[in-house]
Amino acid sequence: RNCLELMLDVVNAEESEPEDWTGPLYAHTRDLYGLIHARFILTSRGLNAMLAKYRKAEFGLCPLLGCDSQPVLPIGLHSELRQSHVHVFCPRCRNVYAPSTPPAGSQRAATCDIDGAYIGPTFPHLLILAQPAINAKLSAPKPFVPKVFGFRVYDGRFDAELRAQRASAAAP
């Protein structure tokens, strides 16, 4: 109950001094708010709000060169608290990355400290299922082609790897 009152900013007439924002009550309130957030972003309103942020690339861009600055989605690796921090998921290459550290003073400066349970492991996949247009626009990442002075380098290893990638992509 105290956590809910703190979230709703209910002022108690008996208390004239502000709460201690570093105590256990604040930590419990932050966790409760984060878990409510994890449930909210799975609703249609929450998915629409997060889709707008995704389209603006507010969660960052994929660090993989072949993804051509693909916007990423936040993902929590666990739904339990204090298991891991939030990570980012690239819908194009389907990899999970630790978020890049943004410049000091930016709005995303504190995102590396957010508990992954506040997003949860379900969100990015549910958004892609709910918005098929996201998947329709995506193609596989472009493979890196080694070149020396602008000329392709022939090495049997690269051809074998490329054939293996194409075979695995073609297999049902």
PDB file of all heavy atoms in Angstrom, residues 34 47 72 75 81 84 87 97 101 103 110-111 115 121 132 135 138 140-141 149 152 155 162 166 172:
ATOM      1  N   GLY A  34       8.133  -1.005 -12.296  1.00  0.00           N
ATOM      2  CA  GLY A  34       8.767  -1.681 -13.426  1.00  0.00           C
ATOM      3  C   GLY A  34       8.009  -2.908 -13.872  1.00  0.00           C
ATOM      4  O   GLY A  34       7.854  -3.166 -15.076  1.00  0.00           O
ATOM      5  N   LEU A  47       1.855  -1.577 -26.768  1.00  0.00           N
ATOM      6  CA  LEU A  47       2.538  -1.957 -28.010  1.00  0.00           C
ATOM      7  C   LEU A  47       2.572  -0.796 -28.991  1.00  0.00           C
ATOM      8  O   LEU A  47       3.593  -0.560 -29.654  1.00  0.00           O
ATOM      9  CB  LEU A  47       1.862  -3.171 -28.642  1.00  0.00           C
ATOM     10  CG  LEU A  47       2.092  -4.512 -27.959  1.00  0.00           C
ATOM     11  CD1 LEU A  47       1.209  -5.581 -28.563  1.00  0.00           C
ATOM     12  CD2 LEU A  47       3.551  -4.918 -28.023  1.00  0.00           C
ATOM     13  N   VAL A  72      16.522  -1.109 -32.986  1.00  0.00           N
ATOM     14  CA  VAL A  72      16.426  -2.283 -32.131  1.00  0.00           C
ATOM     15  C   VAL A  72      15.296  -2.104 -31.123  1.00  0.00           C
ATOM     16  O   VAL A  72      14.780  -1.005 -30.936  1.00  0.00           O
ATOM     17  CB  VAL A  72      17.760  -2.545 -31.396  1.00  0.00           C
ATOM     18  CG1 VAL A  72      18.847  -2.946 -32.368  1.00  0.00           C
ATOM     19  CG2 VAL A  72      18.184  -1.347 -30.578  1.00  0.00           C
ATOM     20  N   ILE A  75      14.808  -5.677 -24.668  1.00  0.00           N
ATOM     21  CA  ILE A  75      14.424  -7.022 -24.244  1.00  0.00           C
ATOM     22  C   ILE A  75      15.059  -7.301 -22.890  1.00  0.00           C
ATOM     23  O   ILE A  75      16.194  -6.898 -22.621  1.00  0.00           O
ATOM     24  CB  ILE A  75      14.845  -8.102 -25.276  1.00  0.00           C
ATOM     25  CG1 ILE A  75      14.297  -9.469 -24.895  1.00  0.00           C
ATOM     26  CG2 ILE A  75      16.341  -8.125 -25.472  1.00  0.00           C
ATOM     27  CD1 ILE A  75      14.472 -10.527 -25.966  1.00  0.00           C
ATOM     28  N   LEU A  81      13.203 -10.368 -11.245  1.00  0.00           N
ATOM     29  CA  LEU A  81      13.974  -9.165 -10.910  1.00  0.00           C
ATOM     30  C   LEU A  81      15.423  -9.501 -10.585  1.00  0.00           C
ATOM     31  O   LEU A  81      15.734 -10.579 -10.088  1.00  0.00           O
ATOM     32  CB  LEU A  81      13.345  -8.454  -9.705  1.00  0.00           C
ATOM     33  CG  LEU A  81      11.989  -7.812  -9.953  1.00  0.00           C
ATOM     34  CD1 LEU A  81      11.352  -7.397  -8.640  1.00  0.00           C
ATOM     35  CD2 LEU A  81      12.137  -6.613 -10.871  1.00  0.00           C
ATOM     36  N   SER A  84      19.254  -9.721 -14.764  1.00  0.00           N
ATOM     37  CA  SER A  84      20.103  -9.087 -15.784  1.00  0.00           C
ATOM     38  C   SER A  84      19.545  -7.707 -16.102  1.00  0.00           C
ATOM     39  O   SER A  84      18.393  -7.408 -15.797  1.00  0.00           O
ATOM     40  CB  SER A  84      20.149  -9.930 -17.064  1.00  0.00           C
ATOM     41  OG  SER A  84      18.898  -9.909 -17.698  1.00  0.00           O
ATOM     42  N   HIS A  87      18.623  -5.472 -22.369  1.00  0.00           N
ATOM     43  CA  HIS A  87      19.441  -5.617 -23.564  1.00  0.00           C
ATOM     44  C   HIS A  87      18.627  -5.131 -24.753  1.00  0.00           C
ATOM     45  O   HIS A  87      17.483  -4.706 -24.587  1.00  0.00           O
ATOM     46  CB  HIS A  87      19.837  -7.085 -23.763  1.00  0.00           C
ATOM     47  CG  HIS A  87      20.852  -7.568 -22.777  1.00  0.00           C
ATOM     48  ND1 HIS A  87      20.558  -7.782 -21.450  1.00  0.00           N
ATOM     49  CD2 HIS A  87      22.147  -7.882 -22.928  1.00  0.00           C
ATOM     50  CE1 HIS A  87      21.651  -8.197 -20.828  1.00  0.00           C
ATOM     51  NE2 HIS A  87      22.629  -8.279 -21.711  1.00  0.00           N
ATOM     52  N   TYR A  97      21.974  -7.845 -28.020  1.00  0.00           N
ATOM     53  CA  TYR A  97      23.211  -7.122 -27.719  1.00  0.00           C
ATOM     54  C   TYR A  97      23.073  -6.372 -26.405  1.00  0.00           C
ATOM     55  O   TYR A  97      21.964  -5.975 -26.023  1.00  0.00           O
ATOM     56  CB  TYR A  97      23.520  -6.092 -28.814  1.00  0.00           C
ATOM     57  CG  TYR A  97      23.708  -6.689 -30.176  1.00  0.00           C
ATOM     58  CD1 TYR A  97      22.672  -6.697 -31.110  1.00  0.00           C
ATOM     59  CD2 TYR A  97      24.914  -7.256 -30.542  1.00  0.00           C
ATOM     60  CE1 TYR A  97      22.838  -7.240 -32.361  1.00  0.00           C
ATOM     61  CE2 TYR A  97      25.096  -7.812 -31.806  1.00  0.00           C
ATOM     62  CZ  TYR A  97      24.045  -7.798 -32.703  1.00  0.00           C
ATOM     63  OH  TYR A  97      24.211  -8.344 -33.945  1.00  0.00           O
ATOM     64  N   THR A 101      26.659   2.348 -24.682  1.00  0.00           N
ATOM     65  CA  THR A 101      26.617   3.417 -23.702  1.00  0.00           C
ATOM     66  C   THR A 101      26.431   4.740 -24.435  1.00  0.00           C
ATOM     67  O   THR A 101      27.286   5.129 -25.234  1.00  0.00           O
ATOM     68  CB  THR A 101      27.917   3.446 -22.882  1.00  0.00           C
ATOM     69  OG1 THR A 101      28.124   2.150 -22.344  1.00  0.00           O
ATOM     70  CG2 THR A 101      27.823   4.455 -21.770  1.00  0.00           C
ATOM     71  N   PRO A 103      26.081   8.916 -24.955  1.00  0.00           N
ATOM     72  CA  PRO A 103      26.868  10.017 -24.429  1.00  0.00           C
ATOM     73  C   PRO A 103      26.302  10.522 -23.109  1.00  0.00           C
ATOM     74  O   PRO A 103      25.090  10.465 -22.882  1.00  0.00           O
ATOM     75  CB  PRO A 103      26.767  11.100 -25.504  1.00  0.00           C
ATOM     76  CG  PRO A 103      26.102  10.481 -26.666  1.00  0.00           C
ATOM     77  CD  PRO A 103      25.510   9.184 -26.252  1.00  0.00           C
ATOM     78  N   ALA A 110      20.733   6.488 -18.661  1.00  0.00           N
ATOM     79  CA  ALA A 110      20.494   5.555 -17.564  1.00  0.00           C
ATOM     80  C   ALA A 110      19.924   4.220 -18.027  1.00  0.00           C
ATOM     81  O   ALA A 110      19.614   3.379 -17.204  1.00  0.00           O
ATOM     82  CB  ALA A 110      19.550   6.196 -16.553  1.00  0.00           C
ATOM     83  N   THR A 111      19.775   3.994 -19.327  1.00  0.00           N
ATOM     84  CA  THR A 111      19.128   2.763 -19.778  1.00  0.00           C
ATOM     85  C   THR A 111      19.942   1.523 -19.469  1.00  0.00           C
ATOM     86  O   THR A 111      19.376   0.442 -19.366  1.00  0.00           O
ATOM     87  CB  THR A 111      18.840   2.796 -21.291  1.00  0.00           C
ATOM     88  OG1 THR A 111      20.050   3.042 -21.976  1.00  0.00           O
ATOM     89  CG2 THR A 111      17.796   3.819 -21.633  1.00  0.00           C
ATOM     90  N   ASP A 115      16.549  -2.706 -14.964  1.00  0.00           N
ATOM     91  CA  ASP A 115      16.402  -4.149 -14.777  1.00  0.00           C
ATOM     92  C   ASP A 115      15.678  -4.738 -15.980  1.00  0.00           C
ATOM     93  O   ASP A 115      14.690  -4.184 -16.455  1.00  0.00           O
ATOM     94  CB  ASP A 115      15.609  -4.419 -13.501  1.00  0.00           C
ATOM     95  CG  ASP A 115      15.723  -5.859 -13.036  1.00  0.00           C
ATOM     96  OD1 ASP A 115      15.593  -6.768 -13.878  1.00  0.00           O
ATOM     97  OD2 ASP A 115      15.942  -6.069 -11.836  1.00  0.00           O
ATOM     98  N   PRO A 121      11.084 -10.816 -21.424  1.00  0.00           N
ATOM     99  CA  PRO A 121      11.551 -11.492 -22.636  1.00  0.00           C
ATOM    100  C   PRO A 121      10.495 -11.603 -23.736  1.00  0.00           C
ATOM    101  O   PRO A 121      10.804 -11.980 -24.853  1.00  0.00           O
ATOM    102  CB  PRO A 121      11.947 -12.881 -22.127  1.00  0.00           C
ATOM    103  CG  PRO A 121      11.124 -13.090 -20.909  1.00  0.00           C
ATOM    104  CD  PRO A 121      10.900 -11.725 -20.300  1.00  0.00           C
ATOM    105  N   PRO A 132       3.007  -7.179 -38.274  1.00  0.00           N
ATOM    106  CA  PRO A 132       3.712  -7.932 -39.316  1.00  0.00           C
ATOM    107  C   PRO A 132       4.462  -7.038 -40.298  1.00  0.00           C
ATOM    108  O   PRO A 132       5.386  -7.488 -40.964  1.00  0.00           O
ATOM    109  CB  PRO A 132       2.619  -8.703 -40.036  1.00  0.00           C
ATOM    110  CG  PRO A 132       1.378  -8.529 -39.260  1.00  0.00           C
ATOM    111  CD  PRO A 132       1.585  -7.432 -38.274  1.00  0.00           C
ATOM    112  N   ASN A 135       8.305  -7.101 -39.843  1.00  0.00           N
ATOM    113  CA  ASN A 135       9.011  -8.231 -40.443  1.00  0.00           C
ATOM    114  C   ASN A 135       9.032  -8.171 -41.953  1.00  0.00           C
ATOM    115  O   ASN A 135       9.991  -8.600 -42.585  1.00  0.00           O
ATOM    116  CB  ASN A 135       8.376  -9.540 -39.994  1.00  0.00           C
ATOM    117  CG  ASN A 135       9.289 -10.331 -39.104  1.00  0.00           C
ATOM    118  OD1 ASN A 135      10.402  -9.932 -38.838  1.00  0.00           O
ATOM    119  ND2 ASN A 135       8.802 -11.457 -38.635  1.00  0.00           N
ATOM    120  N   LEU A 138      11.946  -6.268 -43.476  1.00  0.00           N
ATOM    121  CA  LEU A 138      13.300  -6.690 -43.122  1.00  0.00           C
ATOM    122  C   LEU A 138      13.816  -7.767 -44.057  1.00  0.00           C
ATOM    123  O   LEU A 138      13.104  -8.672 -44.448  1.00  0.00           O
ATOM    124  CB  LEU A 138      13.317  -7.229 -41.690  1.00  0.00           C
ATOM    125  CG  LEU A 138      12.873  -6.263 -40.609  1.00  0.00           C
ATOM    126  CD1 LEU A 138      12.943  -6.943 -39.256  1.00  0.00           C
ATOM    127  CD2 LEU A 138      13.724  -5.017 -40.609  1.00  0.00           C
ATOM    128  N   ALA A 140      17.495 -10.242 -44.680  1.00  0.00           N
ATOM    129  CA  ALA A 140      18.641 -10.759 -43.925  1.00  0.00           C
ATOM    130  C   ALA A 140      19.793  -9.761 -44.007  1.00  0.00           C
ATOM    131  O   ALA A 140      19.921  -9.019 -44.985  1.00  0.00           O
ATOM    132  CB  ALA A 140      19.067 -12.101 -44.490  1.00  0.00           C
ATOM    133  N   PRO A 141      20.623  -9.721 -42.981  1.00  0.00           N
ATOM    134  CA  PRO A 141      21.767  -8.813 -43.036  1.00  0.00           C
ATOM    135  C   PRO A 141      22.668  -9.128 -44.222  1.00  0.00           C
ATOM    136  O   PRO A 141      22.800 -10.282 -44.625  1.00  0.00           O
ATOM    137  CB  PRO A 141      22.507  -9.062 -41.727  1.00  0.00           C
ATOM    138  CG  PRO A 141      21.666  -9.945 -40.915  1.00  0.00           C
ATOM    139  CD  PRO A 141      20.583 -10.492 -41.768  1.00  0.00           C
ATOM    140  N   PHE A 149      42.146  -3.482 -51.616  1.00  0.00           N
ATOM    141  CA  PHE A 149      42.245  -2.436 -52.642  1.00  0.00           C
ATOM    142  C   PHE A 149      41.028  -2.452 -53.572  1.00  0.00           C
ATOM    143  O   PHE A 149      41.142  -2.234 -54.774  1.00  0.00           O
ATOM    144  CB  PHE A 149      43.538  -2.548 -53.450  1.00  0.00           C
ATOM    145  CG  PHE A 149      44.769  -2.395 -52.619  1.00  0.00           C
ATOM    146  CD1 PHE A 149      45.660  -3.447 -52.490  1.00  0.00           C
ATOM    147  CD2 PHE A 149      45.042  -1.207 -51.958  1.00  0.00           C
ATOM    148  CE1 PHE A 149      46.799  -3.311 -51.722  1.00  0.00           C
ATOM    149  CE2 PHE A 149      46.171  -1.070 -51.186  1.00  0.00           C
ATOM    150  CZ  PHE A 149      47.056  -2.112 -51.059  1.00  0.00           C
ATOM    151  N   ARG A 152      37.696  -8.176 -54.565  1.00  0.00           N
ATOM    152  CA  ARG A 152      37.290  -9.259 -53.688  1.00  0.00           C
ATOM    153  C   ARG A 152      38.455 -10.205 -53.444  1.00  0.00           C
ATOM    154  O   ARG A 152      39.217 -10.517 -54.352  1.00  0.00           O
ATOM    155  CB  ARG A 152      36.139 -10.043 -54.309  1.00  0.00           C
ATOM    156  CG  ARG A 152      34.894  -9.211 -54.494  1.00  0.00           C
ATOM    157  CD  ARG A 152      33.833 -10.004 -55.172  1.00  0.00           C
ATOM    158  NE  ARG A 152      32.932 -10.468 -54.139  1.00  0.00           N
ATOM    159  CZ  ARG A 152      32.011 -11.380 -54.321  1.00  0.00           C
ATOM    160  NH1 ARG A 152      31.885 -11.985 -55.480  1.00  0.00           N
ATOM    161  NH2 ARG A 152      31.217 -11.732 -53.343  1.00  0.00           N
ATOM    162  N   ASP A 155      39.235 -16.681 -51.022  1.00  0.00           N
ATOM    163  CA  ASP A 155      39.729 -17.599 -50.004  1.00  0.00           C
ATOM    164  C   ASP A 155      38.666 -18.674 -49.854  1.00  0.00           C
ATOM    165  O   ASP A 155      37.492 -18.373 -49.659  1.00  0.00           O
ATOM    166  CB  ASP A 155      39.943 -16.863 -48.686  1.00  0.00           C
ATOM    167  CG  ASP A 155      40.609 -17.731 -47.635  1.00  0.00           C
ATOM    168  OD1 ASP A 155      40.764 -18.949 -47.860  1.00  0.00           O
ATOM    169  OD2 ASP A 155      40.970 -17.200 -46.577  1.00  0.00           O
ATOM    170  N   LEU A 162      30.016 -18.845 -46.874  1.00  0.00           N
ATOM    171  CA  LEU A 162      28.898 -18.258 -47.607  1.00  0.00           C
ATOM    172  C   LEU A 162      27.945 -19.347 -48.105  1.00  0.00           C
ATOM    173  O   LEU A 162      26.728 -19.209 -47.992  1.00  0.00           O
ATOM    174  CB  LEU A 162      29.416 -17.423 -48.776  1.00  0.00           C
ATOM    175  CG  LEU A 162      28.411 -16.557 -49.510  1.00  0.00           C
ATOM    176  CD1 LEU A 162      27.719 -15.591 -48.552  1.00  0.00           C
ATOM    177  CD2 LEU A 162      29.101 -15.767 -50.607  1.00  0.00           C
ATOM    178  N   ARG A 166      24.014 -19.769 -47.013  1.00  0.00           N
ATOM    179  CA  ARG A 166      22.936 -19.839 -48.004  1.00  0.00           C
ATOM    180  C   ARG A 166      22.163 -21.150 -47.869  1.00  0.00           C
ATOM    181  O   ARG A 166      20.945 -21.177 -48.020  1.00  0.00           O
ATOM    182  CB  ARG A 166      23.510 -19.703 -49.411  1.00  0.00           C
ATOM    183  CG  ARG A 166      23.958 -18.289 -49.730  1.00  0.00           C
ATOM    184  CD  ARG A 166      24.490 -18.177 -51.124  1.00  0.00           C
ATOM    185  NE  ARG A 166      24.943 -16.828 -51.392  1.00  0.00           N
ATOM    186  CZ  ARG A 166      25.823 -16.511 -52.313  1.00  0.00           C
ATOM    187  NH1 ARG A 166      26.340 -17.444 -53.079  1.00  0.00           N
ATOM    188  NH2 ARG A 166      26.198 -15.253 -52.484  1.00  0.00           N
ATOM    189  N   PRO A 172      14.231 -25.462 -45.076  1.00  0.00           N
ATOM    190  CA  PRO A 172      12.977 -25.117 -44.397  1.00  0.00           C
ATOM    191  C   PRO A 172      13.020 -25.323 -42.921  1.00  0.00           C
ATOM    192  O   PRO A 172      13.662 -25.992 -42.323  1.00  0.00           O
ATOM    193  CB  PRO A 172      11.928 -26.038 -45.029  1.00  0.00           C
ATOM    194  CG  PRO A 172      12.679 -27.098 -45.741  1.00  0.00           C
ATOM    195  CD  PRO A 172      14.080 -26.619 -45.931  1.00  0.00           C
TER     196      PRO A 172
END
